[in-house]
Amino acid sequence: MPSVSVGTQTSIPLRDVVPTSVQKELPQEESEYPSFLFKAHSLALIAWLLGTIMAINWAVKEGHLITSTVDNVELGLWCALIAFLIFCCLHARDGLLYRPHPAFWRVVLGVAIAYFALLIFIICQDASDVRRWLRYIDPELGVPLPEKSYAADCRLYTPEDPVSSFRNLRDTIADEFVLAHLFGWALKMLIIRDVKMCLFLSVLFEFLEVSLRHALPNFWECWWDHVILDILICNGLGIYIGYLMVKYFEMKEYHFLVEPAPLTIKSKLNRIAKQFTPVHWSRYQWQYFSNSRRFFSVVFFSAFVSCVDLSAFFLKYVLYIPAPHYLNLVRLFIWVPFAVAGTREYYVYMSDPTCKRIGQMLWLDLAILLTEGCISYKFGKGLFNEPMPYWLKISWAVIATVVCGTFTVLFIRDYRKTHRKAAELKSE
């Protein structure tokens, strides 16, 4: 069995990471891209990289744009990151995703490695030092910020208010998290591709907000904010938009044979736009209760997705980063391709018995999430002093009992089924 790539220097067989069923669905590079895009251009990229770095250094020196050692270090780190991403673009191992180009997903892998390395560096520092270093990015960072509470006044109708008779509702709708809920759940629906799973995750996250509002004041919300605005309107509308996009991709006609070369400008533009759509669209069948292994996999995936969302709130709280700051958006945007690739690899590993090990992006997703959690735990000492209410402890104990009981029932059913099949084969 051949290895994954001649440039990877690995002994992991291709079948262990990319099952045969998935390999057959991937198109040939010669038919998918122009010849310029599937050739490596290794020497040309080295020349371009070094030439660009030298040109940038000459430009900043001549323009007196660098005035301190800090500026030199910042420039050097950015150039080192670019060089590392170019190496990943050329020599990293391909994953399961192919569009818009395998090189794009190799760069995503490089970004994930760099982000993971940054988190490892951060976790080895003191919280005060990291908060002080953030001031180099924005002088307003690094100071404790008051968390906004959404439950100070839960009245929907405020006739005495001079601005609006529905002031509380208006202020809540105008919050930046409304659009984040809407577009975030549309993206999650595209990634997860299951309405029931997304609805369950939506309700689960709202319950997590209630469970953790003693630690994060930002999670205090009115009942109508949780139920009506979040679950029914923002999350529900986002899931529905994602569902429409999923149905579009399912019904779309895909051409697996070589298409004729486009001759008109319109056909060329259509071909370019099509490059940013999937080669094929696989609908995810999660089958929650089909067997104990699948049930455990779905529970683990649900916990993972919820922890990714929670990690954003804990990180900004312990690092003193305000909600509207662009650093929160940067983390969100880099997690989107991480989640796309990681979910695909997790679903294949979960559903295809010929897949023997988790993929590289899934491994990095797990490592990044755990490291973010360790940073929140280490830097959050002294910030989370309020205990969880007793009724929430009882609620989570009941949930854990139900989950464990369901897994036990499914495991017993699987064991009996396997034992029955073995007995039938033995009798024959």
Side-chain angles (χ1 to χ4, degrees):
M1 175 62 65
S3 297
V4 175
S5 171
V6 293
T8 307
Q9 302 300 319
T10 178
S11 60
I12 299 176
L14 182 65
R15 66 185 180 190
D16 284 3
V17 180
V18 185
T20 306
S21 59
V22 178
Q23 295 178 42
K24 293 178 180 179
E25 297 174 347
L26 298 179
Q28 297 295 321
E29 289 185 337
E30 292 81 355
S31 62
E32 176 74 4
Y33 309 107
S35 59
F36 173 81
L37 292 180
F38 71 81
K39 292 182 179 179
H41 304 289
S42 301
L43 298 179
L45 276 177
I46 292 177
W48 174 85
L49 172 64
L50 295 178
T52 301
I53 291 176
M54 293 302 295
I56 291 175
N57 277 272
W58 177 83
V60 297
K61 295 291 185 182
E62 291 296 322
H64 302 287
L65 300 177
I66 292 182
T67 58
S68 65
T69 303
V70 174
D71 294 336
N72 267 321
V73 171
E74 183 179 352
L75 176 63
L77 289 175
W78 280 112
C79 290
L81 176 62
I82 293 173
F84 173 71
L85 294 181
I86 288 179
F87 173 83
C88 292
C89 177
L90 289 173
H91 298 294
R93 190 174 67 202
D94 288 335
L96 301 181
L97 300 179
Y98 210 74
R99 291 276 181 90
H101 193 280
F104 169 80
W105 295 105
R106 293 195 288 266
V107 171
V108 169
L109 175 68
V111 174
I113 295 173
Y115 181 55
F116 179 50
L118 175 63
L119 293 175
I120 293 296
F121 173 80
I122 290 176
I123 203 175
C124 297
Q125 313 304 314
D126 292 331
S128 57
D129 291 335
V130 176
R131 293 163 185 158
R132 187 175 65 254
W133 293 340
L134 287 175
R135 296 176 187 172
Y136 289 107
I137 300 176
D138 188 340
E140 297 182 359
L141 295 178
V143 295
L145 299 172
E147 283 286 330
K148 180 180 179 181
S149 175
Y150 297 89
D153 186 0
C154 289
R155 293 179 300 160
L156 283 173
Y157 184 59
T158 53
E160 75 284 355
D161 191 272
V163 178
S164 173
S165 297
F166 298 91
R167 179 66 179 268
N168 295 329
L169 180 62
R170 195 198 69 167
D171 292 345
T172 303
I173 293 176
D175 189 78
E176 62 270 4
F177 285 112
V178 171
L179 290 179
H181 276 271
L182 180 65
F183 292 110
W185 282 101
L187 284 173
K188 284 181 182 177
M189 182 60 201
L190 278 175
I191 295 172
I192 299 173
R193 307 177 191 178
D194 188 285
V195 174
K196 294 179 181 178
M197 173 75 80
C198 287
L199 291 175
F200 168 74
L201 290 173
S202 174
V203 175
L204 175 62
F205 186 76
E206 295 303 317
F207 186 70
L208 286 171
E209 283 188 334
V210 175
S211 302
L212 295 171
R213 61 189 181 185
H214 64 280
L216 296 177
N218 187 244
F219 281 171
W220 278 97
E221 296 178 355
C222 300
W223 68 268
W224 47 265
D225 195 351
H226 280 298
V227 178
I228 299 177
L229 287 183
D230 286 350
I231 296 179
L232 297 180
I233 298 180
C234 295
N235 299 359
L237 183 59
I239 293 172
Y240 180 69
I241 293 173
Y243 169 76
L244 294 179
M245 298 177 70
V246 168
K247 296 302 291 184
Y248 166 77
F249 286 124
E250 285 180 356
M251 294 184 295
K252 184 179 176 184
E253 180 181 0
Y254 295 105
H255 301 278
F256 293 95
L257 301 178
V258 180
E259 297 182 8
L263 301 178
T264 64
I265 295 178
K266 181 179 179 180
S267 58
K268 290 181 179 180
L269 293 176
N270 288 336
R271 182 62 185 88
I272 293 174
K274 189 185 298 183
Q275 195 63 37
F276 293 91
T277 62
V279 177
H280 59 88
W281 185 264
S282 300
R283 185 176 182 181
Y284 293 167
Q285 303 288 344
W286 293 94
Q287 298 176 345
Y288 326 101
F289 302 108
S290 59
N291 55 64
S292 57
R293 181 177 183 272
R294 180 62 68 93
F295 177 77
F296 176 82
S297 300
V298 171
V299 170
F300 178 83
F301 180 78
S302 302
F304 178 83
V305 173
S306 299
C307 288
V308 171
D309 294 335
L310 288 175
S311 183
F313 291 92
F314 278 96
L315 283 177
K316 74 179 183 65
Y317 185 75
V318 300
L319 295 177
Y320 301 160
I321 301 175
H325 199 274
Y326 72 88
L327 285 180
N328 295 315
L329 293 177
V330 170
R331 179 193 174 275
L332 174 64
F333 284 133
I334 66 174
W335 256 107
V336 169
F338 295 174
V340 172
T343 301
R344 177 62 176 166
E345 291 178 354
Y346 184 76
Y347 181 79
V348 170
Y349 176 76
M350 177 186 70
S351 59
D352 196 323
T354 63
C355 185
K356 303 300 182 182
R357 64 177 70 208
I358 64 174
Q360 53 198 4
M361 276 305 305
L362 177 56
W363 188 93
L364 279 169
D365 286 351
L366 292 170
I368 289 172
L369 178 61
L370 291 174
T371 309
E372 287 182 346
C374 291
I375 291 174
S376 299
Y377 174 78
K378 179 182 178 181
F379 292 0
K381 289 184 177 179
L383 296 178
F384 309 110
N385 299 318
E386 294 292 330
M388 178 180 286
Y390 182 74
W391 71 272
L392 282 172
K393 294 180 181 179
I394 298 298
S395 300
W396 279 108
V398 171
I399 293 173
T401 302
V402 172
V403 171
C404 293
T406 305
F407 175 80
T408 302
V409 171
L410 292 175
F411 181 81
I412 294 174
R413 188 186 68 179
D414 295 341
Y415 175 80
R416 289 177 176 175
K417 186 184 298 183
T418 304
H419 184 73
R420 189 184 308 114
K421 288 183 178 179
E424 293 175 354
L425 291 175
K426 187 176 180 180
S427 62
E428 293 177 358

mmCIF file of all heavy atoms in Angstrom, residues 1-8 10-18 92-95 360:
data_model
loop_
_atom_site.group_PDB
_atom_site.id
_atom_site.type_symbol
_atom_site.label_atom_id
_atom_site.label_comp_id
_atom_site.label_asym_id
_atom_site.label_seq_id
_atom_site.Cartn_x
_atom_site.Cartn_y
_atom_site.Cartn_z
ATOM 1 N N MET A 1 0.854 -1.191 0.000
ATOM 2 C CA MET A 1 0.000 0.000 0.000
ATOM 3 C C MET A 1 0.889 1.241 0.000
ATOM 4 O O MET A 1 1.750 1.406 0.873
ATOM 5 C CB MET A 1 -0.898 0.002 1.233
ATOM 6 C CG MET A 1 -1.745 1.277 1.381
ATOM 7 S SD MET A 1 -2.904 1.507 0.012
ATOM 8 C CE MET A 1 -3.970 0.088 0.260
ATOM 9 N N PRO A 2 0.735 2.140 -0.976
ATOM 10 C CA PRO A 2 1.585 3.317 -1.048
ATOM 11 C C PRO A 2 1.303 4.280 0.083
ATOM 12 O O PRO A 2 0.249 4.296 0.672
ATOM 13 C CB PRO A 2 1.207 3.941 -2.408
ATOM 14 C CG PRO A 2 -0.196 3.471 -2.635
ATOM 15 C CD PRO A 2 -0.265 2.108 -2.047
ATOM 16 N N SER A 3 2.297 5.113 0.392
ATOM 17 C CA SER A 3 2.126 6.144 1.398
ATOM 18 C C SER A 3 1.321 7.276 0.833
ATOM 19 O O SER A 3 0.984 7.322 -0.347
ATOM 20 C CB SER A 3 3.488 6.643 1.890
ATOM 21 O OG SER A 3 4.182 5.580 2.527
ATOM 22 N N VAL A 4 1.045 8.254 1.674
ATOM 23 C CA VAL A 4 0.146 9.325 1.289
ATOM 24 C C VAL A 4 0.727 10.187 0.198
ATOM 25 O O VAL A 4 0.078 10.534 -0.759
ATOM 26 C CB VAL A 4 -0.177 10.183 2.533
ATOM 27 C CG1 VAL A 4 -1.008 11.388 2.136
ATOM 28 C CG2 VAL A 4 -0.925 9.350 3.542
ATOM 29 N N SER A 5 2.000 10.560 0.303
ATOM 30 C CA SER A 5 2.593 11.487 -0.644
ATOM 31 C C SER A 5 4.091 11.310 -0.629
ATOM 32 O O SER A 5 4.692 11.019 0.408
ATOM 33 C CB SER A 5 2.223 12.935 -0.300
ATOM 34 O OG SER A 5 2.961 13.831 -1.087
ATOM 35 N N VAL A 6 4.738 11.515 -1.781
ATOM 36 C CA VAL A 6 6.190 11.371 -1.845
ATOM 37 C C VAL A 6 6.882 12.464 -1.065
ATOM 38 O O VAL A 6 8.025 12.315 -0.650
ATOM 39 C CB VAL A 6 6.658 11.395 -3.311
ATOM 40 C CG1 VAL A 6 6.171 10.182 -4.047
ATOM 41 C CG2 VAL A 6 6.201 12.666 -4.002
ATOM 42 N N GLY A 7 6.193 13.580 -0.845
ATOM 43 C CA GLY A 7 6.812 14.679 -0.125
ATOM 44 C C GLY A 7 6.511 14.687 1.355
ATOM 45 O O GLY A 7 6.936 15.587 2.064
ATOM 46 N N THR A 8 5.819 13.676 1.843
ATOM 47 C CA THR A 8 5.383 13.694 3.228
ATOM 48 C C THR A 8 6.370 13.005 4.160
ATOM 49 O O THR A 8 6.453 13.327 5.331
ATOM 50 C CB THR A 8 4.012 13.012 3.347
ATOM 51 O OG1 THR A 8 3.120 13.616 2.409
ATOM 52 C CG2 THR A 8 3.422 13.172 4.735
ATOM 53 N N THR A 10 6.348 9.867 5.302
ATOM 54 C CA THR A 10 5.579 9.201 6.342
ATOM 55 C C THR A 10 5.345 7.769 5.942
ATOM 56 O O THR A 10 5.315 7.426 4.762
ATOM 57 C CB THR A 10 4.234 9.897 6.567
ATOM 58 O OG1 THR A 10 3.511 9.180 7.569
ATOM 59 C CG2 THR A 10 3.385 9.924 5.299
ATOM 60 N N SER A 11 5.195 6.910 6.957
ATOM 61 C CA SER A 11 4.919 5.502 6.702
ATOM 62 C C SER A 11 3.462 5.165 6.951
ATOM 63 O O SER A 11 3.096 4.001 6.940
ATOM 64 C CB SER A 11 5.809 4.631 7.607
ATOM 65 O OG SER A 11 5.556 4.919 8.973
ATOM 66 N N ILE A 12 2.625 6.168 7.224
ATOM 67 C CA ILE A 12 1.211 5.907 7.457
ATOM 68 C C ILE A 12 0.550 5.548 6.130
ATOM 69 O O ILE A 12 0.583 6.340 5.187
ATOM 70 C CB ILE A 12 0.515 7.133 8.070
ATOM 71 C CG1 ILE A 12 1.151 7.468 9.420
ATOM 72 C CG2 ILE A 12 -0.968 6.876 8.240
ATOM 73 C CD1 ILE A 12 0.580 8.720 10.047
ATOM 74 N N PRO A 13 -0.036 4.375 5.997
ATOM 75 C CA PRO A 13 -0.703 4.029 4.739
ATOM 76 C C PRO A 13 -1.872 4.959 4.459
ATOM 77 O O PRO A 13 -2.529 5.440 5.381
ATOM 78 C CB PRO A 13 -1.189 2.588 4.972
ATOM 79 C CG PRO A 13 -0.385 2.097 6.131
ATOM 80 C CD PRO A 13 -0.086 3.301 6.968
ATOM 81 N N LEU A 14 -2.120 5.203 3.194
ATOM 82 C CA LEU A 14 -3.201 6.096 2.804
ATOM 83 C C LEU A 14 -4.548 5.594 3.311
ATOM 84 O O LEU A 14 -5.389 6.377 3.729
ATOM 85 C CB LEU A 14 -3.226 6.234 1.279
ATOM 86 C CG LEU A 14 -4.263 7.170 0.669
ATOM 87 C CD1 LEU A 14 -3.986 8.594 1.087
ATOM 88 C CD2 LEU A 14 -4.288 7.039 -0.838
ATOM 89 N N ARG A 15 -4.753 4.294 3.310
ATOM 90 C CA ARG A 15 -6.055 3.743 3.676
ATOM 91 C C ARG A 15 -6.385 3.985 5.150
ATOM 92 O O ARG A 15 -7.546 3.968 5.546
ATOM 93 C CB ARG A 15 -6.081 2.243 3.393
ATOM 94 C CG ARG A 15 -5.134 1.448 4.278
ATOM 95 C CD ARG A 15 -5.092 -0.010 3.900
ATOM 96 N NE ARG A 15 -4.169 -0.729 4.770
ATOM 97 C CZ ARG A 15 -3.781 -1.966 4.571
ATOM 98 N NH1 ARG A 15 -4.244 -2.633 3.520
ATOM 99 N NH2 ARG A 15 -2.935 -2.558 5.386
ATOM 100 N N ASP A 16 -5.352 4.171 6.007
ATOM 101 C CA ASP A 16 -5.599 4.381 7.424
ATOM 102 C C ASP A 16 -6.207 5.743 7.705
ATOM 103 O O ASP A 16 -6.860 5.940 8.730
ATOM 104 C CB ASP A 16 -4.296 4.247 8.223
ATOM 105 C CG ASP A 16 -3.885 2.793 8.391
ATOM 106 O OD1 ASP A 16 -4.592 1.929 7.829
ATOM 107 O OD2 ASP A 16 -2.874 2.542 9.057
ATOM 108 N N VAL A 17 -5.960 6.716 6.839
ATOM 109 C CA VAL A 17 -6.442 8.081 7.054
ATOM 110 C C VAL A 17 -7.580 8.417 6.100
ATOM 111 O O VAL A 17 -8.583 8.996 6.490
ATOM 112 C CB VAL A 17 -5.293 9.090 6.890
ATOM 113 C CG1 VAL A 17 -5.781 10.507 7.115
ATOM 114 C CG2 VAL A 17 -4.159 8.766 7.846
ATOM 115 N N VAL A 18 -7.422 8.072 4.836
ATOM 116 C CA VAL A 18 -8.427 8.337 3.823
ATOM 117 C C VAL A 18 -8.965 6.997 3.327
ATOM 118 O O VAL A 18 -8.271 6.285 2.600
ATOM 119 C CB VAL A 18 -7.847 9.142 2.641
ATOM 120 C CG1 VAL A 18 -8.945 9.501 1.654
ATOM 121 C CG2 VAL A 18 -7.139 10.392 3.140
ATOM 122 N N ALA A 92 2.849 19.549 3.040
ATOM 123 C CA ALA A 92 1.988 18.913 4.038
ATOM 124 C C ALA A 92 1.124 17.844 3.377
ATOM 125 O O ALA A 92 0.916 17.836 2.155
ATOM 126 C CB ALA A 92 1.110 19.955 4.728
ATOM 127 N N ARG A 93 0.609 16.930 4.199
ATOM 128 C CA ARG A 93 -0.202 15.826 3.677
ATOM 129 C C ARG A 93 -1.609 16.317 3.364
ATOM 130 O O ARG A 93 -2.190 17.102 4.112
ATOM 131 C CB ARG A 93 -0.254 14.711 4.715
ATOM 132 C CG ARG A 93 -0.861 13.418 4.205
ATOM 133 C CD ARG A 93 -0.725 12.342 5.263
ATOM 134 N NE ARG A 93 -1.540 12.641 6.434
ATOM 135 C CZ ARG A 93 -1.307 12.138 7.635
ATOM 136 N NH1 ARG A 93 -0.254 11.368 7.838
ATOM 137 N NH2 ARG A 93 -2.096 12.423 8.652
ATOM 138 N N ASP A 94 -2.160 15.862 2.257
ATOM 139 C CA ASP A 94 -3.531 16.211 1.902
ATOM 140 C C ASP A 94 -4.517 15.538 2.846
ATOM 141 O O ASP A 94 -4.251 14.461 3.393
ATOM 142 C CB ASP A 94 -3.841 15.794 0.472
ATOM 143 C CG ASP A 94 -3.144 16.670 -0.558
ATOM 144 O OD1 ASP A 94 -2.832 17.829 -0.235
ATOM 145 O OD2 ASP A 94 -2.917 16.181 -1.671
ATOM 146 N N GLY A 95 -5.675 16.195 3.023
ATOM 147 C CA GLY A 95 -6.738 15.623 3.831
ATOM 148 C C GLY A 95 -7.877 15.116 2.977
ATOM 149 O O GLY A 95 -7.685 14.706 1.827
ATOM 150 N N GLN A 360 -5.432 14.372 10.560
ATOM 151 C CA GLN A 360 -4.523 15.351 11.139
ATOM 152 C C GLN A 360 -5.258 16.599 11.638
ATOM 153 O O GLN A 360 -4.935 17.139 12.707
ATOM 154 C CB GLN A 360 -3.476 15.746 10.098
ATOM 155 C CG GLN A 360 -4.069 16.218 8.776
ATOM 156 C CD GLN A 360 -3.068 16.195 7.647
ATOM 157 O OE1 GLN A 360 -1.933 15.752 7.815
ATOM 158 N NE2 GLN A 360 -3.465 16.682 6.478
#
